[in-house]
Amino acid sequence: MILHDLEVSVDERLKAAAQGGDIDKLYTLIREDPHVLDRIDETPFVDTPMHVAASFGKTEFAMETMQLKPSFARKLNQEGFTPLHLALLKKQTLMVYSLIFADSELIRVHGKEGKTPLHYAAEQGNVYLLKTFLQRCPSSIEDVTNHEDTALQIAVKNKKFDAFCLLVLRLRTAVDKGSEIREYKTLNWQNNVFDTALHIAVKTHQPEVVRVLIDNHVDLNIKNSESLTPLEILESDDSQSQSQVNNPEAREAIKERLRRARASKFLSFFRWKSSKCYLPPTVNLLERWYIDITRGKNGLAEESRNMLLVGLVLIATVGYQCVLSPPGGVWQADRNNSTTTHDNKSSSEIHHPGTVVMGNWSFLFFMLFNSLALALTTHAICFLVMKPESSWWYFNRSLLITFGPLCYLISLQTISPNNTLFARIIVIPTLVYILLPIAHARIRANLRYKTRNWPMSPSSTHGVAT
Protein backbone atom coordinates (compact mmCIF):
# COMPACT_ATOMS: atom_id res chain seq x y z
CA MET A 1 0.00 0.00 0.00
CA ILE A 2 2.80 2.35 0.92
CA LEU A 3 4.65 1.44 -2.31
CA HIS A 4 1.50 2.15 -4.32
CA ASP A 5 1.08 5.55 -2.68
CA LEU A 6 4.72 6.28 -3.39
CA GLU A 7 4.27 5.35 -7.07
CA VAL A 8 1.21 7.57 -7.37
CA SER A 9 3.05 10.39 -5.70
CA VAL A 10 6.05 10.06 -8.03
CA ASP A 11 3.84 9.85 -11.13
CA GLU A 12 1.88 12.92 -10.12
CA ARG A 13 5.04 14.88 -9.40
CA LEU A 14 6.50 13.74 -12.73
CA LYS A 15 3.41 14.97 -14.53
CA ALA A 16 3.66 18.31 -12.74
CA ALA A 17 7.33 18.56 -13.68
CA ALA A 18 6.44 17.90 -17.33
CA GLN A 19 3.72 20.56 -17.30
CA GLY A 20 6.16 23.09 -15.88
CA GLY A 21 9.11 21.97 -17.97
CA ASP A 22 11.24 21.42 -14.84
CA ILE A 23 14.18 19.25 -15.96
CA ASP A 24 15.86 19.41 -12.52
CA LYS A 25 12.73 18.01 -10.94
CA LEU A 26 12.77 15.19 -13.52
CA TYR A 27 16.21 14.04 -12.41
CA THR A 28 15.28 14.43 -8.73
CA LEU A 29 12.42 11.98 -9.28
CA ILE A 30 14.71 9.61 -11.18
CA ARG A 31 17.10 9.59 -8.21
CA GLU A 32 14.19 8.75 -5.93
CA ASP A 33 12.92 6.01 -8.24
CA PRO A 34 15.34 4.94 -11.01
CA HIS A 35 12.64 2.77 -12.63
CA VAL A 36 10.01 5.47 -12.89
CA LEU A 37 10.37 5.89 -16.66
CA ASP A 38 10.65 2.13 -17.23
CA ARG A 39 7.40 1.57 -15.34
CA ILE A 40 5.61 4.13 -17.55
CA ASP A 41 7.08 2.57 -20.67
CA GLU A 42 5.68 -0.85 -19.71
CA THR A 43 2.11 0.46 -20.02
CA PRO A 44 0.92 -0.07 -23.63
CA PHE A 45 -1.11 3.15 -23.94
CA VAL A 46 -0.30 5.98 -21.59
CA ASP A 47 0.35 9.72 -21.37
CA THR A 48 4.09 9.77 -20.85
CA PRO A 49 5.92 12.84 -19.49
CA MET A 50 6.86 13.53 -23.11
CA HIS A 51 3.17 13.61 -24.10
CA VAL A 52 2.45 16.08 -21.31
CA ALA A 53 5.40 18.29 -22.20
CA ALA A 54 4.43 18.24 -25.89
CA SER A 55 0.87 19.34 -25.06
CA PHE A 56 2.13 22.26 -22.94
CA GLY A 57 4.90 23.28 -25.34
CA LYS A 58 7.77 22.49 -22.98
CA THR A 59 10.29 21.72 -25.71
CA GLU A 60 13.45 21.32 -23.62
CA PHE A 61 11.74 18.94 -21.19
CA ALA A 62 10.32 16.85 -24.05
CA MET A 63 13.70 16.58 -25.76
CA GLU A 64 15.38 15.62 -22.47
CA THR A 65 12.77 12.90 -21.92
CA MET A 66 13.17 11.70 -25.50
CA GLN A 67 16.90 11.36 -24.95
CA LEU A 68 16.34 9.27 -21.80
CA LYS A 69 13.53 7.17 -23.30
CA PRO A 70 13.47 7.29 -27.13
CA SER A 71 10.49 4.89 -27.15
CA PHE A 72 8.29 7.62 -25.63
CA ALA A 73 8.38 9.51 -28.96
CA ARG A 74 6.51 6.66 -30.70
CA LYS A 75 4.22 5.59 -27.86
CA LEU A 76 0.49 6.21 -28.24
CA ASN A 77 -1.60 7.53 -25.38
CA GLN A 78 -5.15 6.39 -24.57
CA GLU A 79 -6.53 8.64 -27.31
CA GLY A 80 -4.20 7.23 -29.95
CA PHE A 81 -1.76 10.14 -30.21
CA THR A 82 2.02 10.37 -30.06
CA PRO A 83 3.76 13.46 -28.63
CA LEU A 84 4.16 14.80 -32.19
CA HIS A 85 0.44 14.35 -32.85
CA LEU A 86 -0.38 16.26 -29.66
CA ALA A 87 2.07 19.07 -30.41
CA LEU A 88 0.54 19.45 -33.87
CA LEU A 89 -3.06 19.42 -32.62
CA LYS A 90 -2.22 21.85 -29.80
CA LYS A 91 -0.43 24.12 -32.32
CA GLN A 92 2.90 23.90 -30.49
CA THR A 93 4.90 24.69 -33.63
CA LEU A 94 8.34 24.93 -32.00
CA MET A 95 7.79 21.54 -30.40
CA VAL A 96 6.79 20.05 -33.76
CA TYR A 97 9.95 21.32 -35.45
CA SER A 98 12.18 20.14 -32.59
CA LEU A 99 10.74 16.63 -32.69
CA ILE A 100 10.96 16.12 -36.46
CA PHE A 101 14.50 17.49 -36.63
CA ALA A 102 15.47 15.07 -33.88
CA ASP A 103 13.83 12.11 -35.65
CA SER A 104 12.21 12.63 -39.07
CA GLU A 105 10.66 9.15 -39.00
CA LEU A 106 8.22 10.37 -36.34
CA ILE A 107 6.30 11.92 -39.25
CA ARG A 108 5.36 8.40 -40.39
CA VAL A 109 4.03 7.09 -37.04
CA HIS A 110 0.35 6.17 -37.34
CA GLY A 111 -2.03 7.20 -34.59
CA LYS A 112 -5.80 7.31 -34.19
CA GLU A 113 -7.61 6.15 -37.36
CA GLY A 114 -4.20 5.43 -38.85
CA LYS A 115 -3.43 9.13 -39.31
CA THR A 116 0.15 10.37 -39.31
CA PRO A 117 1.19 13.94 -38.42
CA LEU A 118 1.36 14.62 -42.18
CA HIS A 119 -2.31 13.67 -42.50
CA TYR A 120 -3.27 16.10 -39.72
CA ALA A 121 -1.21 18.89 -41.34
CA ALA A 122 -3.04 18.26 -44.63
CA GLU A 123 -6.38 18.20 -42.79
CA GLN A 124 -5.62 21.56 -41.18
CA GLY A 125 -4.24 23.01 -44.43
CA ASN A 126 -0.97 24.01 -42.75
CA VAL A 127 1.28 24.31 -45.81
CA TYR A 128 4.34 25.43 -43.87
CA LEU A 129 4.38 22.30 -41.76
CA LEU A 130 3.61 20.23 -44.85
CA LYS A 131 6.68 21.71 -46.56
CA THR A 132 8.89 20.85 -43.60
CA PHE A 133 7.46 17.35 -43.24
CA LEU A 134 8.03 16.56 -46.91
CA GLN A 135 11.54 18.00 -46.86
CA ARG A 136 12.48 15.91 -43.84
CA CYS A 137 10.69 12.74 -44.96
CA PRO A 138 9.64 12.76 -48.65
CA SER A 139 8.33 9.18 -48.59
CA SER A 140 5.74 10.09 -45.91
CA ILE A 141 3.46 11.33 -48.69
CA GLU A 142 2.74 7.66 -49.49
CA ASP A 143 1.37 6.85 -46.02
CA VAL A 144 -2.35 6.06 -45.83
CA THR A 145 -4.94 6.08 -43.05
CA ASN A 146 -7.18 3.17 -41.98
CA HIS A 147 -9.55 4.34 -44.72
CA GLU A 148 -6.68 4.11 -47.22
CA ASP A 149 -6.65 7.89 -47.72
CA THR A 150 -3.41 9.66 -48.58
CA ALA A 151 -2.58 13.20 -47.44
CA LEU A 152 -3.55 14.35 -50.95
CA GLN A 153 -7.04 12.86 -50.64
CA ILE A 154 -7.44 14.25 -47.12
CA ALA A 155 -6.61 17.75 -48.37
CA VAL A 156 -9.24 17.41 -51.13
CA LYS A 157 -11.87 16.06 -48.72
CA ASN A 158 -11.33 18.97 -46.34
CA LYS A 159 -11.18 21.50 -49.22
CA LYS A 160 -7.70 22.72 -48.33
CA PHE A 161 -6.75 23.92 -51.79
CA ASP A 162 -3.30 25.33 -50.95
CA ALA A 163 -2.29 22.17 -49.11
CA PHE A 164 -3.53 20.07 -52.02
CA CYS A 165 -1.57 22.15 -54.56
CA LEU A 166 1.58 21.98 -52.45
CA LEU A 167 1.36 18.18 -52.30
CA VAL A 168 0.86 17.98 -56.09
CA LEU A 169 3.78 20.35 -56.67
CA ARG A 170 6.03 18.27 -54.43
CA LEU A 171 5.05 15.09 -56.21
CA ARG A 172 5.71 16.63 -59.62
CA THR A 173 9.07 18.19 -58.75
CA ALA A 174 10.61 15.55 -56.45
CA VAL A 175 13.79 14.02 -57.88
CA ASP A 176 14.82 11.57 -55.14
CA LYS A 177 15.01 7.86 -55.86
CA GLY A 178 11.59 6.35 -56.58
CA SER A 179 9.90 9.76 -56.99
CA GLU A 180 8.61 8.98 -60.49
CA ILE A 181 6.75 5.88 -59.30
CA ARG A 182 5.59 7.71 -56.18
CA GLU A 183 4.14 10.54 -58.29
CA TYR A 184 1.98 8.29 -60.46
CA LYS A 185 0.98 6.05 -57.55
CA THR A 186 -0.09 8.89 -55.24
CA LEU A 187 -1.93 10.98 -57.85
CA ASN A 188 -3.99 7.93 -58.85
CA TRP A 189 -4.28 6.26 -55.43
CA GLN A 190 -7.64 4.67 -54.59
CA ASN A 191 -8.94 4.59 -51.01
CA ASN A 192 -11.10 1.92 -49.36
CA VAL A 193 -14.05 2.74 -51.66
CA PHE A 194 -11.68 3.01 -54.65
CA ASP A 195 -12.10 6.78 -54.95
CA THR A 196 -9.12 8.72 -56.29
CA ALA A 197 -8.49 12.38 -55.49
CA LEU A 198 -10.26 13.19 -58.78
CA HIS A 199 -13.36 11.22 -57.73
CA ILE A 200 -13.46 13.12 -54.43
CA ALA A 201 -13.01 16.49 -56.15
CA VAL A 202 -15.89 15.70 -58.53
CA LYS A 203 -18.19 14.59 -55.70
CA THR A 204 -17.45 17.72 -53.66
CA HIS A 205 -17.71 20.07 -56.68
CA GLN A 206 -14.19 21.55 -56.66
CA PRO A 207 -13.41 22.70 -60.23
CA GLU A 208 -10.00 24.17 -59.30
CA VAL A 209 -8.88 20.82 -57.90
CA VAL A 210 -10.14 19.03 -61.01
CA ARG A 211 -8.22 21.46 -63.18
CA VAL A 212 -4.95 20.92 -61.32
CA LEU A 213 -5.31 17.13 -61.39
CA ILE A 214 -6.12 17.01 -65.10
CA ASP A 215 -3.26 19.38 -65.93
CA ASN A 216 -0.98 16.96 -64.08
CA HIS A 217 -2.16 14.02 -66.22
CA VAL A 218 -4.03 11.85 -63.73
CA ASP A 219 -5.82 8.79 -65.04
CA LEU A 220 -9.37 9.81 -66.01
CA ASN A 221 -10.66 6.29 -66.55
CA ILE A 222 -10.16 4.78 -63.08
CA LYS A 223 -13.43 3.40 -61.65
CA ASN A 224 -14.46 3.41 -58.01
CA SER A 225 -16.33 0.74 -56.04
CA GLU A 226 -19.53 1.68 -57.88
CA SER A 227 -17.75 1.12 -61.22
CA LEU A 228 -18.00 4.82 -62.05
CA THR A 229 -15.36 7.12 -63.52
CA PRO A 230 -15.34 10.78 -62.36
CA LEU A 231 -17.29 11.85 -65.46
CA GLU A 232 -19.83 9.06 -64.98
CA ILE A 233 -20.42 10.23 -61.40
CA LEU A 234 -21.60 13.61 -62.69
CA GLU A 235 -23.76 12.06 -65.38
CA SER A 236 -25.25 9.62 -62.87
CA ASP A 237 -26.10 12.43 -60.43
CA ASP A 238 -27.76 14.43 -63.20
CA SER A 239 -30.01 11.55 -64.16
CA GLN A 240 -31.03 10.86 -60.55
CA SER A 241 -31.77 14.43 -59.41
CA GLN A 242 -32.79 16.62 -62.28
CA SER A 243 -34.87 18.95 -60.10
CA GLN A 244 -32.19 19.96 -57.57
CA VAL A 245 -28.50 20.29 -58.41
CA ASN A 246 -25.97 21.78 -56.00
CA ASN A 247 -23.60 24.35 -57.50
CA PRO A 248 -24.68 23.80 -61.12
CA GLU A 249 -22.03 26.13 -62.59
CA ALA A 250 -19.17 24.23 -60.99
CA ARG A 251 -20.67 20.89 -62.00
CA GLU A 252 -21.03 21.95 -65.62
CA ALA A 253 -17.49 23.35 -65.67
CA ILE A 254 -16.10 20.09 -64.26
CA LYS A 255 -18.13 18.02 -66.72
CA GLU A 256 -16.95 20.06 -69.70
CA ARG A 257 -13.33 19.89 -68.56
CA LEU A 258 -13.47 16.12 -68.11
CA ARG A 259 -15.03 15.61 -71.51
CA ARG A 260 -12.45 17.81 -73.22
CA ALA A 261 -9.61 16.14 -71.34
CA ARG A 262 -10.78 12.69 -72.45
CA ALA A 263 -10.90 13.95 -76.04
CA SER A 264 -7.40 15.45 -75.87
CA LYS A 265 -5.06 14.95 -72.94
CA PHE A 266 -2.97 17.93 -74.08
CA LEU A 267 -5.91 20.37 -74.01
CA SER A 268 -5.60 22.92 -71.22
CA PHE A 269 -8.66 25.09 -72.02
CA PHE A 270 -10.91 25.45 -69.01
CA ARG A 271 -14.04 27.63 -68.98
CA TRP A 272 -14.34 28.36 -65.30
CA LYS A 273 -13.70 31.60 -63.49
CA SER A 274 -11.73 30.39 -60.52
CA SER A 275 -12.58 31.73 -57.07
CA LYS A 276 -8.88 31.49 -56.22
CA CYS A 277 -6.75 34.61 -56.60
CA TYR A 278 -3.87 32.45 -57.78
CA LEU A 279 -3.13 28.92 -58.87
CA PRO A 280 -0.01 26.83 -58.15
CA PRO A 281 3.02 27.32 -60.42
CA THR A 282 3.24 25.02 -63.38
CA VAL A 283 6.22 22.93 -64.47
CA ASN A 284 7.41 24.01 -67.91
CA LEU A 285 9.08 21.85 -70.54
CA LEU A 286 12.68 22.63 -69.51
CA GLU A 287 11.91 22.02 -65.85
CA ARG A 288 10.24 18.73 -66.78
CA TRP A 289 13.43 17.81 -68.67
CA TYR A 290 15.55 18.59 -65.60
CA ILE A 291 13.26 16.56 -63.33
CA ASP A 292 13.27 13.56 -65.67
CA ILE A 293 17.05 13.38 -66.12
CA THR A 294 17.69 13.91 -62.40
CA ARG A 295 15.19 11.17 -61.52
CA GLY A 296 16.93 8.94 -64.03
CA LYS A 297 20.29 9.62 -62.43
CA ASN A 298 19.07 9.07 -58.86
CA GLY A 299 17.25 5.89 -59.89
CA LEU A 300 20.33 4.28 -61.43
CA ALA A 301 21.78 1.26 -59.70
CA GLU A 302 25.50 1.46 -58.94
CA GLU A 303 26.33 -1.17 -61.56
CA SER A 304 24.25 0.56 -64.25
CA ARG A 305 25.83 3.89 -63.40
CA ASN A 306 29.34 2.47 -63.73
CA MET A 307 28.52 0.88 -67.08
CA LEU A 308 27.07 4.17 -68.33
CA LEU A 309 30.18 6.05 -67.21
CA VAL A 310 32.41 3.59 -69.10
CA GLY A 311 30.35 4.11 -72.26
CA LEU A 312 30.46 7.91 -71.93
CA VAL A 313 34.22 7.92 -71.34
CA LEU A 314 34.72 5.82 -74.49
CA ILE A 315 32.56 8.24 -76.51
CA ALA A 316 34.52 11.22 -75.17
CA THR A 317 37.81 9.49 -75.98
CA VAL A 318 36.70 8.76 -79.56
CA GLY A 319 35.52 12.36 -79.96
CA TYR A 320 38.86 13.80 -78.89
CA GLN A 321 40.78 11.24 -80.93
CA CYS A 322 38.93 12.35 -84.07
CA VAL A 323 40.71 15.70 -83.79
CA LEU A 324 44.11 14.13 -83.24
CA SER A 325 43.62 11.63 -86.09
CA PRO A 326 40.87 12.92 -88.43
CA PRO A 327 39.38 10.53 -91.03
CA GLY A 328 41.47 10.59 -94.22
CA GLY A 329 44.47 11.93 -92.34
CA VAL A 330 46.23 15.28 -92.85
CA TRP A 331 48.40 16.71 -95.58
CA GLN A 332 52.10 15.87 -95.23
CA ALA A 333 55.05 18.23 -95.69
CA ASP A 334 56.99 15.85 -97.97
CA ARG A 335 54.22 15.55 -100.60
CA ASN A 336 53.14 17.75 -103.51
CA ASN A 337 50.05 19.44 -102.09
CA SER A 338 49.53 21.96 -104.87
CA THR A 339 47.10 19.87 -106.93
CA THR A 340 44.53 17.41 -105.68
CA THR A 341 40.94 16.31 -106.20
CA HIS A 342 38.40 16.39 -103.39
CA ASP A 343 34.62 16.92 -103.12
CA ASN A 344 34.49 15.61 -106.72
CA LYS A 345 36.10 18.83 -107.98
CA SER A 346 39.57 19.59 -109.21
CA SER A 347 41.49 22.25 -107.37
CA SER A 348 44.96 23.76 -107.56
CA GLU A 349 44.67 25.22 -104.08
CA ILE A 350 47.75 24.93 -101.91
CA HIS A 351 47.11 22.77 -98.81
CA HIS A 352 49.21 23.44 -95.76
CA PRO A 353 50.86 20.50 -94.00
CA GLY A 354 48.90 19.31 -90.98
CA THR A 355 45.46 20.32 -92.31
CA VAL A 356 42.79 17.72 -93.02
CA VAL A 357 42.58 15.90 -96.35
CA MET A 358 38.76 15.61 -96.31
CA GLY A 359 36.70 18.21 -98.16
CA ASN A 360 35.49 21.39 -96.54
CA TRP A 361 31.81 20.43 -96.26
CA SER A 362 32.61 16.95 -94.98
CA PHE A 363 34.97 18.44 -92.42
CA LEU A 364 32.38 21.03 -91.38
CA PHE A 365 29.57 18.57 -90.63
CA PHE A 366 31.81 15.85 -89.20
CA MET A 367 33.55 18.13 -86.72
CA LEU A 368 30.33 19.98 -85.85
CA PHE A 369 28.58 16.77 -84.79
CA ASN A 370 31.75 15.45 -83.15
CA SER A 371 32.15 18.64 -81.10
CA LEU A 372 28.50 18.57 -80.00
CA ALA A 373 28.81 14.93 -78.96
CA LEU A 374 31.95 15.68 -76.98
CA ALA A 375 30.36 18.68 -75.23
CA LEU A 376 27.26 16.70 -74.21
CA THR A 377 29.28 13.67 -73.17
CA THR A 378 31.60 15.72 -70.94
CA HIS A 379 28.69 17.30 -69.10
CA ALA A 380 26.96 13.93 -68.78
CA ILE A 381 30.06 12.49 -67.09
CA CYS A 382 30.23 15.43 -64.67
CA PHE A 383 26.50 15.10 -63.96
CA LEU A 384 26.82 11.41 -63.09
CA VAL A 385 30.04 11.65 -61.09
CA MET A 386 29.54 14.77 -58.99
CA LYS A 387 26.79 15.96 -56.67
CA PRO A 388 25.08 19.13 -57.94
CA GLU A 389 25.05 20.60 -54.41
CA SER A 390 28.81 20.20 -54.02
CA SER A 391 31.07 23.23 -54.41
CA TRP A 392 33.44 20.93 -56.26
CA TRP A 393 30.78 20.64 -58.97
CA TYR A 394 31.09 24.35 -59.75
CA PHE A 395 34.86 24.45 -59.33
CA ASN A 396 35.57 21.49 -61.61
CA ARG A 397 32.96 22.58 -64.11
CA SER A 398 34.71 25.96 -64.36
CA LEU A 399 38.03 24.24 -64.95
CA LEU A 400 36.53 21.99 -67.62
CA ILE A 401 34.92 24.91 -69.39
CA THR A 402 38.19 26.83 -69.33
CA PHE A 403 40.98 24.34 -70.05
CA GLY A 404 39.33 21.31 -71.66
CA PRO A 405 37.76 23.19 -74.57
CA LEU A 406 40.92 25.25 -75.11
CA CYS A 407 42.99 22.14 -75.79
CA TYR A 408 40.30 20.74 -78.07
CA LEU A 409 39.84 24.02 -79.96
CA ILE A 410 43.58 24.53 -80.46
CA SER A 411 43.82 21.03 -81.96
CA LEU A 412 40.78 21.65 -84.14
CA GLN A 413 42.08 25.01 -85.36
CA THR A 414 45.43 23.41 -86.23
CA ILE A 415 43.90 20.87 -88.62
CA SER A 416 41.25 23.22 -90.10
CA PRO A 417 41.83 24.20 -93.74
CA ASN A 418 40.98 27.84 -92.97
CA ASN A 419 39.85 30.04 -90.11
CA THR A 420 36.40 30.69 -91.60
CA LEU A 421 35.57 27.01 -91.57
CA PHE A 422 36.90 26.70 -88.04
CA ALA A 423 34.70 29.57 -86.84
CA ARG A 424 31.60 27.97 -88.37
CA ILE A 425 32.29 24.71 -86.59
CA ILE A 426 32.90 25.99 -83.06
CA VAL A 427 29.99 28.43 -82.63
CA ILE A 428 27.19 25.96 -81.82
CA PRO A 429 29.24 23.45 -79.75
CA THR A 430 30.80 26.28 -77.73
CA LEU A 431 27.39 27.74 -76.91
CA VAL A 432 26.10 24.30 -75.89
CA TYR A 433 29.16 23.61 -73.77
CA ILE A 434 28.92 26.92 -71.90
CA LEU A 435 25.16 27.37 -71.68
CA LEU A 436 24.14 23.81 -70.74
CA PRO A 437 25.50 23.88 -67.15
CA ILE A 438 24.25 27.45 -66.72
CA ALA A 439 20.76 26.41 -67.86
CA HIS A 440 20.90 23.35 -65.60
CA ALA A 441 21.76 25.46 -62.54
CA ARG A 442 19.14 28.09 -63.42
CA ILE A 443 16.35 25.53 -63.89
CA ARG A 444 17.25 23.84 -60.60
CA ALA A 445 17.20 27.19 -58.81
CA ASN A 446 13.80 28.08 -60.31
CA LEU A 447 12.32 24.77 -59.20
CA ARG A 448 13.66 25.22 -55.69
CA TYR A 449 12.21 28.71 -55.57
CA LYS A 450 8.80 27.42 -56.66
CA THR A 451 8.67 24.63 -54.11
CA ARG A 452 10.05 26.69 -51.23
CA ASN A 453 8.14 29.93 -51.76
CA TRP A 454 4.70 28.82 -52.91
CA PRO A 455 2.17 29.76 -51.65
CA MET A 456 3.00 33.29 -50.52
CA SER A 457 -0.40 34.13 -49.00
CA PRO A 458 -0.58 34.31 -45.17
CA SER A 459 -3.97 32.59 -45.35
CA SER A 460 -2.21 29.47 -46.54
CA THR A 461 -1.39 28.53 -42.97
CA HIS A 462 -5.02 27.67 -42.33
CA GLY A 463 -6.02 26.51 -45.77
CA VAL A 464 -8.68 28.02 -48.03
CA ALA A 465 -12.08 26.42 -48.23
CA THR A 466 -13.81 26.32 -51.57
Side-chain angles (χ1 to χ4, degrees):
M1 185 67 179
I2 297 175
L3 180 61
H4 176 70
D5 293 339
L6 179 61
E7 289 178 355
V8 172
S9 176
V10 170
D11 289 344
E12 288 178 350
R13 285 187 289 163
L14 186 58
K15 182 178 179 180
Q19 290 177 350
D22 192 342
I23 297 177
D24 292 334
K25 185 67 174 178
L26 169 65
Y27 282 98
T28 299
L29 294 171
I30 291 175
R31 284 194 296 270
E32 291 181 16
D33 182 1
H35 299 287
V36 60
L37 296 182
D38 292 331
R39 188 171 60 254
I40 295 174
D41 197 22
E42 290 174 357
T43 307
F45 302 98
V46 63
D47 271 314
T48 68
M50 189 173 176
H51 285 79
V52 177
S55 298
F56 284 85
K58 304 302 180 180
T59 305
E60 293 182 0
F61 188 94
M63 301 308 296
E64 191 74 23
T65 310
M66 183 179 176
Q67 182 179 348
L68 295 173
K69 273 289 178 182
S71 58
F72 282 0
R74 287 176 166 77
K75 184 175 282 293
L76 301 178
N77 65 4
Q78 295 93 333
E79 295 178 347
F81 297 130
T82 66
L84 181 56
H85 284 92
L86 290 175
L88 182 60
L89 294 173
K90 299 288 187 180
K91 301 187 185 303
Q92 302 290 350
T93 306
L94 180 60
M95 176 70 70
V96 171
Y97 285 126
S98 298
L99 290 174
I100 63 175
F101 277 101
D103 185 358
S104 62
E105 286 299 314
L106 294 177
I107 299 169
R108 306 198 68 176
V109 178
H110 295 264
K112 183 180 180 181
E113 297 180 345
K115 291 182 179 180
T116 67
L118 183 74
H119 294 142
Y120 282 104
E123 191 176 89
Q124 296 172 358
N126 193 326
V127 294
Y128 300 108
L129 281 181
L130 279 175
K131 282 182 183 181
T132 307
F133 286 171
L134 294 175
Q135 286 172 356
R136 297 294 298 172
C137 188
S139 57
S140 62
I141 201 170
E142 296 181 274
D143 293 334
V144 296
T145 67
N146 293 344
H147 298 290
E148 298 292 323
D149 283 321
T150 63
L152 187 72
Q153 291 165 314
I154 289 174
V156 177
K157 281 184 175 181
N158 290 273
K159 297 185 177 181
K160 303 299 183 182
F161 183 70
D162 290 346
F164 159 76
C165 290
L166 175 66
L167 291 166
V168 172
L169 186 63
R170 288 286 174 172
L171 285 168
R172 294 284 284 166
T173 58
V175 294
D176 55 299
K177 189 173 183 179
S179 55
E180 185 174 3
I181 298 174
R182 186 186 307 132
E183 176 189 339
Y184 179 84
K185 179 181 176 182
T186 306
L187 287 175
N188 296 287
W189 181 262
Q190 295 175 275
N191 60 17
N192 61 339
V193 292
F194 298 95
D195 278 341
T196 65
L198 185 58
H199 284 91
I200 298 171
V202 169
K203 289 180 177 180
T204 53
H205 310 147
Q206 300 182 65
E208 293 93 349
V209 173
V210 173
R211 173 180 183 173
V212 173
L213 288 171
I214 292 177
D215 287 346
N216 286 282
H217 312 297
V218 296
D219 192 338
L220 306 177
N221 299 312
I222 296 178
K223 295 187 177 184
N224 63 8
S225 58
E226 298 174 348
S227 296
L228 296 175
T229 65
L231 180 58
E232 290 170 346
I233 289 174
L234 290 175
E235 294 172 344
S236 174
D237 290 345
D238 289 343
S239 63
Q240 292 175 6
S241 55
Q242 293 287 347
S243 59
Q244 184 178 3
V245 178
N246 295 326
N247 203 349
E249 291 184 5
R251 289 170 58 84
E252 287 303 316
I254 293 172
K255 190 186 298 183
E256 180 184 0
R257 184 65 182 94
L258 287 170
R259 285 172 177 168
R260 289 177 177 271
R262 286 171 68 104
S264 174
K265 64 180 179 180
F266 299 107
L267 196 60
S268 60
F269 181 69
F270 188 62
R271 291 181 179 175
W272 169 258
K273 187 176 181 180
S274 175
S275 60
K276 307 299 178 188
C277 60
Y278 57 91
L279 288 173
T282 56
V283 178
N284 60 41
L285 187 62
L286 287 177
E287 291 168 344
R288 190 75 251 169
W289 164 79
Y290 165 81
I291 291 170
D292 288 342
I293 64 170
T294 308
R295 283 177 173 178
K297 170 196 171 184
N298 294 336
L300 280 176
E302 187 68 21
E303 184 179 351
S304 300
R305 175 178 167 275
N306 292 337
M307 292 176 63
L308 185 57
L309 280 172
V310 170
L312 290 171
V313 170
L314 288 175
I315 293 173
T317 304
V318 170
Y320 202 90
Q321 187 64 31
C322 286
V323 177
L324 301 178
S325 302
V330 297
W331 293 106
Q332 303 299 317
D334 56 350
R335 295 183 58 186
N336 182 10
N337 299 332
S338 61
T339 303
T340 187
T341 301
H342 60 88
D343 284 352
N344 299 322
K345 294 182 180 180
S346 297
S347 174
S348 58
E349 180 183 354
I350 299 297
H351 299 283
H352 299 287
T355 58
V356 292
V357 174
M358 73 170 68
N360 287 354
W361 285 107
S362 299
F363 178 73
L364 173 65
F365 286 107
F366 178 81
M367 286 303 175
L368 174 63
F369 295 140
N370 181 73
S371 300
L372 282 172
L374 185 60
L376 294 172
T377 302
T378 303
H379 283 306
I381 294 172
C382 294
F383 180 70
L384 286 173
V385 170
M386 309 185 73
K387 293 183 178 180
E389 293 80 6
S390 171
S391 59
W392 282 99
W393 163 264
Y394 300 103
F395 177 73
N396 282 277
R397 188 182 65 194
S398 300
L399 291 180
L400 285 170
I401 290 176
T402 304
F403 299 116
L406 284 178
C407 297
Y408 179 82
L409 293 178
I410 291 171
S411 301
L412 184 59
Q413 194 274 337
T414 301
I415 65 173
S416 298
N418 56 71
N419 291 331
T420 302
L421 196 61
F422 170 71
R424 290 176 180 175
I425 292 172
I426 67 169
V427 171
I428 296 178
T430 301
L431 289 175
V432 170
Y433 198 83
I434 295 175
L435 295 180
L436 189 61
I438 296 175
H440 181 273
R442 183 63 182 270
I443 292 169
R444 182 165 59 92
N446 286 342
L447 276 174
R448 285 186 172 182
Y449 178 82
K450 284 182 179 180
T451 55
R452 288 180 179 178
N453 295 280
W454 190 91
M456 304 293 289
S457 171
S459 64
S460 302
T461 308
H462 309 291
V464 180
T466 56

